Amino acid sequence: MVFAESSLNRAQSQLMVDEALTSSCELLDIIDPTALRDWFERFAEVYLDSDHRSVLEVPEVWSTFLGAQCDLLQRVGLHQKTIASLGDELAAWDRQPVSMEQFGGALDELACLMTDYSETLGTAIERQVGTESSRKRRALVFAHAVCGIAIVLVAINEASRKGDARLSACAAFATFGAGLVKRSVQRLYEVCNLASV
């Protein structure tokens, strides 16, 4: 979708945008909402209770955390440019906690955008195709929303693989992912001139 947005062929670009919206809806459909809620609530609790937020303020710890998360994204097969873009977002992360209500609300709003307002969203993205903009590209904002969901799922997988739901690094990474979804969806609602639900 990000590649399509840079194309000057608007028809081809629109087709790829539509495919991305359909694929993203399918992703949301296959996620078990109960398991997602259970895991994320545990992560949110760990993130709030641990001193991980303050520890991440230490430059050496932060650098190690940032590198480890980018390595993890590489291991799960994300494209190098996507990892670089997410790394930039992670480097600028404000480390604020995100509640399940906020994350769930952002997921609902994203689903609503992709189903009820797919034409509006597609048009907002397509309007920026082949043009310069001082604001972040809308296709990239959408991609970050979807990547945020993937990051939460990767954190769940890592915690499950290591057999420890209380891993603070996984909790921090899931919190980052949820915050990325929340911020990206808010921005998409703005560019679509829609009021958040």
Side-chain angles (χ1 to χ4, degrees), residues 31-176:
I31 295 172
D32 178 350
T34 304
L36 181 67
R37 174 177 285 282
D38 290 347
W39 273 102
F40 191 79
E41 284 178 343
R42 279 183 265 169
F43 283 150
E45 183 181 321
V46 169
Y47 189 67
L48 279 174
D49 291 347
S50 75
D51 61 349
H52 203 67
R53 279 189 296 164
S54 58
V55 170
L56 289 178
E57 299 295 332
V58 179
E60 296 79 17
V61 174
W62 176 245
S63 179
T64 301
F65 175 79
L66 185 62
Q69 303 323 305
C70 288
D71 288 347
L72 178 58
L73 294 175
Q74 175 101 31
R75 221 170 43 243
V76 297
L78 262 63
H79 188 277
Q80 202 60 40
K81 285 188 177 180
T82 303
I83 294 170
S85 176
L86 293 172
D88 290 343
E89 290 293 319
L90 185 56
W93 179 36
D94 62 8
R95 300 177 185 89
Q96 290 301 308
V98 178
S99 69
M100 184 59 219
E101 288 69 29
Q102 291 171 318
F103 181 42
L107 291 175
D108 288 344
E109 289 182 338
L110 181 60
C112 185
L113 260 181
M114 293 186 299
T115 53
D116 299 344
Y117 298 107
S118 60
E119 190 174 322
T120 304
L121 177 59
T123 301
I125 291 169
E126 192 269 338
R127 243 186 274 129
Q128 223 182 10
V129 171
T131 63
E132 293 298 320
S133 174
S134 59
R135 307 279 320 247
K136 188 184 293 182
R137 305 298 292 185
R138 294 167 186 168
L140 184 60
V141 175
F142 179 80
H144 282 170
V146 175
C147 285
I149 298 168
I151 286 169
V152 174
L153 297 176
V154 166
I156 290 170
N157 187 60
E158 274 297 286
S160 179
R161 188 177 67 81
K162 293 179 178 178
D164 185 359
R166 300 198 59 81
L167 284 172
S168 58
C170 291
F173 201 39
T175 301
F176 162 71

